[in-house]
Amino acid sequence: MTKIVIVGGVAGGASAAARARRVSETAEIIMLERGEFISFANCGLPYHIGGEIESREALLLQTPESFKSRFNIEVRVFNDVIAINRQTKQLSIRNLLTDEVYQESYDKLLLSPGASPIKPPISGINSHFVHSLRNIPDMDKVLANLLLHKPKHATVVGGGFIGLEMAEALRHRGLEVSLLELADQVMGPVDVEMANILHQKLVDNGVDLRLKTGLTAVHERPNQPAESDITDDYDTPVFPHYHLHLDLSDNSSLATDLVILAIGVKPETRLASECGLTLGKLGGIYVDASMRTSDPDIYAVGDAIETDDFVTGNPILIPLAGPANRQGRLAADNMLGGNKLYRATQGTAICKLFDMAIASTGLNEKSLLRQVIPFEKIYVHTASHASYYPRAHPITLKLLFCPDNGRILGAQAAGIDGVDKRIDVLAVAQRAGMTVYDLADLELTYAPPFGSARDVVNQAGMVAANVLLGDESICHSQELDHLTAEQVIIDVRNPSELTAVGAIVGAINIPLPVLRDRLNELPKDKELLVFCQVGLRGHVAYRMLVQHGFKVRNLSGGYKTYQMVNARF
């Protein structure tokens, strides 16, 4: 009989425990968790704070009692593993309720310790008005603060998934919100022009967005009323409105009541490091494709480990629930004699922000440039379903691909409706080894309420294939701001569009319907950079002009992409 001990629950550990029992009815399975909750929906925490998920109990997926009754698994909460002796295969465990330290043996050990919130060494960071959000107790503390102190203003530090979701949640609760992000954009997995859509959404919903701005110090206001404080109807002094004073990296300051730290997370590797397991290049626990660590009897999964990037094969840290769940299942099989292999991580993810969503899969342009990987990119702006059917909304899709063979390197999409299914299709296509040529041939569902006869994904494949096959040469928005004397910009939109949405300085406006009649106005000794609103009419103009002997390139994604690239917040 195999004895399996699992350290840590949630996505990785809990899925491994359940799978191990389904594989073996005779295995002895013990789960150890330092906290109170063994399996909870950590991705749902901001939505309970914001009120979308009303019941706290809805976040509690399994309890020690349900694991015991359903799977015959012994779960010990408030039990902290403090040391691993690999030679004797013994764990030292502290019962946090009694402070007793005891030993537990294992045949196979699974580490699922997760990741901890980054908490920089900032003065005042330990104030009881400053919170992280990683688990149920963290959520309870935030809710208690909201109830007890009734803050009017909150500051979210960090613009990743948790930061964006918390900014939305706090706005839903009626608080004024400032969002600080040290980088020049929120949502690191996407590129800056796509993030600019999020920036606009934040601003439109009343969030005080401060990019390139970090937190440098936290000061608590004195908890005593000043003589000058106003009084209420009963002559009781009213305490100062704001609880905190923040110093910021741009030398400005900010008064606030509540701070949510959402700077990021780092792998929990103390146990692994102290017992001599190998750590990876990025600081996570090293595992092979079987989820084995450098010790053949110890496995690791989830946010604490390094896995291979699907596109490059290089090590990456991906703290996402989906990969952790799959890794836990696979590790359970292998601990019980299986030989399953984990097939790398694409990093497919999505984030809701107010009424819109943004999603990505694979590598972004920043990563491709940093790793000096050749790529081409195209943009598509089209409707989520047939435009003549009510409630069609625009989708913006960016597709990155190999210029030699059309291999899909990554994709990003943003919009109000249908973003998830487009990125899901592209994630599947990427994993299946499809190219952009294959995207044009995908047969996807169509009815006016759900899509178009030529879906967003089809269109992206067609545009990319046109580029690779030489049916269209494209330029990108950055080039239009650095023209040479041998280039001319041609705007083929209608004049009313220029007035309504703006224009590019120096562009010559010749609307597409009259372009053929005005070819004599265009210089054949210069390169024409044509554009329309989203790229389609620009493509028509390109095909017309190139067949009349002009040297032409079309602006990918048109003026809409140009606006995204050049937006400033």
Side-chain angles (χ1 to χ4, degrees), residues 299-354:
Y299 294 70
V301 298
D303 297 357
I305 70 168
E306 291 183 15
T307 56
D308 292 338
D309 175 73
F310 183 83
V311 175
T312 66
N314 296 329
I316 52 172
L317 295 167
I318 299 289
L320 294 172
N325 193 293
R326 297 193 301 276
Q327 293 158 8
R329 187 176 190 274
L330 184 149
D333 285 348
N334 292 338
M335 286 189 292
L336 291 165
N339 188 28
K340 303 288 182 63
L341 300 179
Y342 185 71
R343 296 175 55 197
T345 297
Q346 294 165 271
T348 308
I350 190 168
C351 182
K352 172 186 174 294
L353 184 64
F354 298 103

Side-chain angles (χ1 to χ4, degrees), residues 257-271:
D257 294 309
L258 174 70
V259 171
I260 304 294
L261 292 179
I263 300 171
V265 296
K266 59 183 178 181
E268 285 269 16
T269 60
R270 181 190 63 80
L271 274 177

Side-chain angles (χ1 to χ4, degrees), residues 70-86:
R70 179 177 293 188
F71 299 111
N72 191 27
I73 292 171
E74 181 183 355
V75 176
R76 303 175 192 168
V77 295
F78 296 117
N79 276 248
D80 186 19
V81 179
I82 56 178
I84 301 170
N85 188 322
R86 293 166 50 199

Side-chain angles (χ1 to χ4, degrees), residues 346-482:
Q346 294 165 271
T348 308
I350 190 168
C351 182
K352 172 186 174 294
L353 184 64
F354 298 103
D355 63 348
M356 69 165 288
I358 190 162
S360 64
T361 191
L363 294 183
N364 55 36
E365 183 174 349
K366 295 172 294 188
S367 298
L368 293 168
L369 289 170
R370 185 170 59 250
Q371 298 179 63
V372 197
I373 299 173
F375 70 94
E376 184 54 277
K377 61 181 177 180
I378 60 96
Y379 299 86
V380 171
H381 307 280
T382 189
S384 56
H385 57 249
S387 58
Y388 56 83
Y389 188 86
R391 294 177 297 281
H393 298 286
I395 288 181
T396 290
L397 190 148
K398 178 179 184 178
L399 181 64
L400 299 144
F401 53 95
C402 177
D404 296 327
N405 56 22
R407 179 191 178 205
I408 300 168
L409 301 176
Q412 302 158 37
I416 292 176
D417 179 49
V419 168
D420 52 346
K421 72 176 181 178
R422 272 61 186 223
I423 289 298
D424 283 344
V425 168
L426 288 167
V428 171
Q430 183 184 51
R431 183 163 288 273
M434 292 181 177
T435 67
V436 296
Y437 302 108
D438 298 310
L439 299 182
D441 294 328
L442 291 180
E443 190 169 328
L444 305 173
T445 57
Y446 164 58
F450 305 106
S452 300
R454 181 186 295 174
D455 188 78
V456 182
V457 173
N458 297 134
Q459 291 190 43
M462 292 173 184
V463 173
N466 281 342
V467 173
L468 294 181
L469 294 171
D471 292 334
E472 180 179 45
S473 294
I474 59 174
C475 62
H476 295 294
S477 298
Q478 295 86 344
E479 298 178 61
L480 272 59
D481 294 325
H482 301 89

